[in-house]
Amino acid sequence: MSDTYVECLVQRKASLLMKVLKVVLIAITIACGLLGLMGIIEFLLIAIVAGIAAYFVFLNADIEYEYLYLDKEITIDKVMAKSTRKRVGTYKVERIEIFAPIKSYHLGDFKNRMVKEVDCSGGEVAQPDDRYVLYYEGGEKIILSPSKELVNAVRNVAPRKVFLD
């Protein structure tokens, strides 16, 4: 049995709000920290809280998605700030309903479904749009930005479920 292994990393574009929030929280931390060192305890507490908030904003501003295809399974992990990894989901190819480009006419029957939507793409619409939609077991819609190798690997296993148009 020949197992195919494909790995794909996608950098998510940080929003302008996250960039501004990160700068503002770091500035508040530094300013309140300096005031707190001069003897005002309240500012030291504000600096600690702003520093903790800046840490969490920093984690959520730098996000990558890792798609891994191995043994008829697609595994999606969310990598935050290149240090923390969280599993988004594991999807078996035989349970996929359709895997097609986001603007494909094959998705016409799926457009009006009320399903949980998970966006694991790069976060921006390129020209031409290279994002794909994966409907899984009728309950999830996953938006991806896969490489051509990943799409071809899934297509080799399930050619009637994967579309390239």
Side-chain angles (χ1 to χ4, degrees), residues 37-55:
L37 290 176
M38 290 197 290
I40 306 171
I41 298 295
E42 292 85 13
F43 283 111
L44 192 59
L45 294 174
I46 293 172
I48 291 170
V49 170
I52 292 170
Y55 171 74

Side-chain angles (χ1 to χ4, degrees), residues 18-56:
M18 292 300 264
K19 291 178 183 178
V20 170
L21 190 59
K22 185 168 47 170
V23 170
V24 167
L25 285 172
I26 290 172
I28 289 172
T29 303
I30 292 171
C32 290
L34 291 175
L35 288 173
L37 290 176
M38 290 197 290
I40 306 171
I41 298 295
E42 292 85 13
F43 283 111
L44 192 59
L45 294 174
I46 293 172
I48 291 170
V49 170
I52 292 170
Y55 171 74
F56 286 111

Side-chain angles (χ1 to χ4, degrees), residues 2-165:
S2 174
D3 291 332
T4 305
Y5 174 82
V6 180
E7 184 175 342
C8 178
L9 275 173
V10 175
Q11 179 74 35
R12 182 158 188 112
K13 186 175 188 238
S15 68
L16 181 63
L17 175 68
M18 292 300 264
K19 291 178 183 178
V20 170
L21 190 59
K22 185 168 47 170
V23 170
V24 167
L25 285 172
I26 290 172
I28 289 172
T29 303
I30 292 171
C32 290
L34 291 175
L35 288 173
L37 290 176
M38 290 197 290
I40 306 171
I41 298 295
E42 292 85 13
F43 283 111
L44 192 59
L45 294 174
I46 293 172
I48 291 170
V49 170
I52 292 170
Y55 171 74
F56 286 111
V57 167
F58 177 73
L59 277 180
N60 290 317
D62 184 21
I63 294 177
E64 289 180 330
Y65 287 103
E66 180 185 56
Y67 313 139
L68 178 68
Y69 174 78
L70 178 66
D71 195 26
K72 298 181 183 178
E73 280 188 350
I74 299 173
T75 305
I76 302 173
D77 290 338
K78 181 179 179 181
V79 181
M80 297 178 284
K82 294 181 177 64
S83 62
T84 308
R85 178 179 296 268
K86 182 181 176 187
R87 174 73 39 100
V88 175
T90 302
Y91 306 100
K92 296 189 180 297
V93 173
E94 59 263 9
R95 294 185 180 171
I96 291 174
E97 289 186 49
I98 189 170
F99 187 45
I102 199 162
K103 298 197 183 211
S104 175
Y105 69 91
H106 294 286
L107 295 172
D109 296 337
F110 298 89
K111 295 280 185 196
N112 294 327
R113 283 194 181 180
M114 300 298 293
V115 294
K116 176 183 168 190
E117 184 174 317
V118 180
D119 188 1
C120 299
S121 67
E124 62 183 345
V125 178
Q127 293 299 328
D129 198 355
D130 60 347
R131 296 177 300 161
Y132 274 70
V133 174
L134 184 146
Y135 279 93
Y136 189 72
E137 287 190 330
E140 271 187 285
K141 174 184 176 183
I142 300 104
I143 301 173
L144 306 170
S145 297
S147 64
K148 293 195 183 299
E149 293 85 16
L150 181 69
V151 174
N152 288 333
V154 176
R155 187 170 190 217
N156 287 337
V157 175
R160 292 184 182 197
K161 297 179 182 180
V162 180
F163 298 97
L164 300 177
D165 54 50

